[in-house]
Amino acid sequence: MNPIFILRLAVAIILLTHSIPGMFDNGINNFGNLFLNQIGFSPFGVYIAWTIKLSHVVCAILFILNKYLKWASLVTILILTTGIFLVHLKEGWYVVGDGRNGIEYNFLLICVLVTIMYPNGIRKSKNSQL
C-alpha cells in the first residue's frame, strides 16, 4: 500500500470527524455564533463556520479519491493556518500535557499536507536561476 495513500486517508478521516458531527449537534452554528461572531466576524460567523466545515468534507473526499490533491491541501493548510492565529497560538504549542488547545496538532497536519502535495519532495527546477 502506498504510504501517501495512508496519509491521505488519515487526513480525510480527521477532516470528516472534525466536521460532520458539528453539522448535526449544532457545533458549527455554535462555533460561528459563539466564537467567530465574537471575535469580529459578525454577522458572517455562521456562514464562515459552515464554509470551513463544508470545505473539510469536500477536501476529505478529494483526498480519498486522489483528485486535486494540491488544491485540497492548500485550502486545508490555509484553514489550519488561520486556526493557528485565531484560536490556537494564544494557547501555546501543546494540545495536551503541558498545555491545552495549542498549535502542535495543526503544525503536524500542515506538514502531512505538504507531504501529500509533494510526495517526492520539492525539487528545484533545472531551468531556474538564483
Side-chain angles (χ1 to χ4, degrees):
M1 183 175 299
N2 183 335
I4 298 300
F5 170 75
I6 295 169
L7 291 178
R8 290 191 344 257
L9 183 61
V11 171
I13 290 168
I14 288 168
L15 291 175
L16 291 172
T17 58
H18 193 69
S19 300
I20 292 176
M23 294 176 179
F24 299 100
D25 68 4
N26 211 33
I28 296 173
N29 292 333
N30 287 340
F31 178 64
N33 282 319
L34 302 177
F35 182 74
L36 292 175
N37 281 342
Q38 302 305 313
I39 64 167
F41 290 97
S42 182
F44 304 107
V46 172
Y47 300 109
I48 294 169
W50 274 96
T51 301
I52 291 167
K53 296 306 180 177
L54 290 172
S55 79
H56 283 349
V57 172
V58 170
C59 289
I61 292 167
L62 293 173
F63 288 131
I64 291 168
L65 297 176
N66 197 27
K67 302 287 184 189
Y68 306 106
L69 298 179
K70 287 186 180 179
W71 178 87
S73 294
L74 183 62
V75 167
T76 306
I77 288 169
L78 290 173
I79 291 169
L80 292 170
T81 302
T82 302
I84 285 172
F85 288 103
L86 293 180
V87 179
H88 304 287
L89 190 60
K90 66 182 178 224
E91 303 296 334
W93 176 260
Y94 299 102
V95 173
V96 296
D98 290 339
R100 185 187 132 334
N101 206 21
I103 68 169
E104 69 178 328
Y105 188 67
N106 283 29
F107 175 79
L108 177 61
L109 282 174
I110 290 168
C111 291
V112 168
L113 290 164
V114 170
T115 301
I116 290 170
M117 291 173 73
Y118 301 101
N120 298 316
I122 300 172
R123 293 197 163 86
K124 184 177 143 186
S125 171
K126 291 180 182 179
N127 296 329
S128 66
Q129 298 177 6
L130 286 176

